[in-house]
Amino acid sequence: MLLNKVVVITGGAGLIGQAFVKAVVANGGTAIIADINLKLGIQIKNVLQEELNSTNIDFVELDITSKDSLQNAIQILQGKYARIDALVNNAYPRNKQYARHFFDVEYDDFVENTGMNLGGYFTTSQQFALYFKKQGFGNIINISSIYGVMAPKFDVYNDTTMTMPVEYAAIKAGLIHLTKYMAKYFKGLNIRVNTLSPGGIFDNQPEAFLKAYQKECLNKGMLDKNDLQGTLVYLLSDMSKYVNGQNIVVDDGFSL
């Protein structure tokens, strides 16, 4: 479904990013791990190349908050592949104070975290869209969250130290509307923009949380990172060529 497509995945060395890389390669595309962590990015590239027995995995160092870094990465990829078909905005930058409870969040931290994440997605989309405009086509997929469309179910965090960060809510809700804004703004440019909003992804969370979360779902509960692959491939493929400005929720019914 993605034969010969070149797909850039920001945060590609992370948990969900690696699953996205595998999905692109499995469907005939070339996956570019775009990550700020040079050492980890190269390491993951080598591991996945061996695991998948594929050379269709590459790495480019990328800081989503830096216009210079973005322009340099685009120039490198243009030189190597002469095309970029799609951008998957998946990076998740945050500072050390991120994920505090509401009354403990400081203004500077709120601004920094929303700036790095939502601002980074904007800047990355802006620079890739300029490239796509010159190229004549392009595809942007933003990774948001169910908590971009609904209020948190705080009860699922009872008996844990976890919470749903207020910055996360602002970032993910803003990202969904940014998707709609860009889709409309790019009218006539053959650049489409969509959002994929996952429910919770299993990452060894506390058992009390996992049980409470599962009760709010219809079947499985917390998703595995691989459960997002089908929707991503659909949005990257030509089968969704007229899906534009939309938000697709994958959450096993948690948001119902």
Side-chain angles (χ1 to χ4, degrees):
M1 290 177 68
L2 306 179
L3 188 63
N4 299 324
K5 290 186 183 292
V6 177
V7 180
V8 176
I9 303 167
T10 70
L15 180 72
I16 297 175
Q18 291 183 46
F20 288 168
V21 169
K22 292 179 181 180
V24 169
V25 173
N27 283 272
T30 296
I32 312 298
I33 299 171
D35 207 284
I36 195 171
N37 191 325
L38 175 62
K39 183 178 180 181
L40 178 63
I42 294 174
Q43 177 187 341
I44 295 300
K45 181 195 80 167
N46 293 335
V47 168
L48 292 180
Q49 281 183 335
E50 183 174 351
E51 178 184 335
L52 303 177
N53 190 28
S54 174
T55 58
N56 289 344
I57 304 171
D58 204 350
F59 171 79
V60 65
E61 188 175 9
L62 179 66
D63 177 356
I64 70 168
T65 68
S66 167
K67 187 180 290 188
D68 288 342
S69 175
L70 288 160
Q71 291 175 346
N72 183 60
I74 291 170
Q75 185 176 9
I76 290 171
L77 295 174
Q78 167 63 21
K80 293 180 72 171
Y81 298 101
R83 65 184 290 156
I84 302 171
D85 292 88
L87 163 70
V88 181
N89 274 316
N90 172 70
Y92 188 21
R94 52 209 183 274
N95 70 17
K96 293 181 180 180
Q97 282 70 48
Y98 180 81
R100 289 182 171 182
H101 286 257
F102 181 87
F103 290 114
D104 297 324
V105 176
E106 299 290 345
Y107 171 81
D108 288 345
D109 292 320
F110 184 91
V111 170
E112 182 177 10
N113 282 309
T114 53
M116 285 193 299
N117 205 309
L118 183 57
Y121 276 44
F122 158 73
T123 304
T124 303
S125 297
Q126 179 193 59
Q127 294 306 304
F128 273 83
L130 285 169
Y131 173 84
F132 291 152
K133 182 180 178 182
K134 293 178 183 177
Q135 179 175 250
F137 64 89
N139 186 359
I140 299 173
I141 300 172
N142 294 315
I143 306 303
S144 182
S145 166
I146 48 171
Y147 282 146
V149 297
M150 63 177 289
K153 297 183 180 182
F154 286 110
D155 289 350
V156 300
Y157 303 108
N158 289 345
D159 301 319
T160 77
T161 59
M162 299 168 61
T163 189
M164 212 294 287
V166 63
E167 306 99 315
Y168 188 85
I171 290 163
K172 296 305 186 181
L175 185 56
I176 291 170
H177 202 72
L178 180 63
T179 292
K180 296 177 182 179
Y181 178 101
M182 291 191 296
K184 198 71 175 288
Y185 191 83
F186 299 153
K187 181 179 180 180
L189 299 181
N190 201 25
I191 304 171
R192 60 193 183 99
V193 192
N194 290 290
T195 306
L196 196 171
S197 289
I201 305 297
F202 178 75
D203 191 18
N204 298 303
Q205 291 92 342
E207 189 63 28
F209 168 76
L210 295 174
K211 288 182 178 180
Y213 188 96
Q214 200 279 332
K215 290 179 182 178
E216 297 289 337
C217 297
L218 303 183
N219 295 290
K220 182 174 184 176
M222 292 289 283
L223 302 177
D224 181 83
K225 58 187 182 297
N226 297 323
D227 293 331
L228 306 177
Q229 290 177 323
T231 306
L232 179 81
V233 170
Y234 167 71
L235 288 174
L236 289 172
S237 77
D238 291 340
M239 293 187 72
S240 62
K241 65 169 61 177
Y242 299 115
V243 177
N244 205 350
Q246 303 305 305
N247 177 37
I248 299 181
V249 176
V250 182
D251 71 345
D252 191 27
F254 180 87
S255 55
L256 294 177

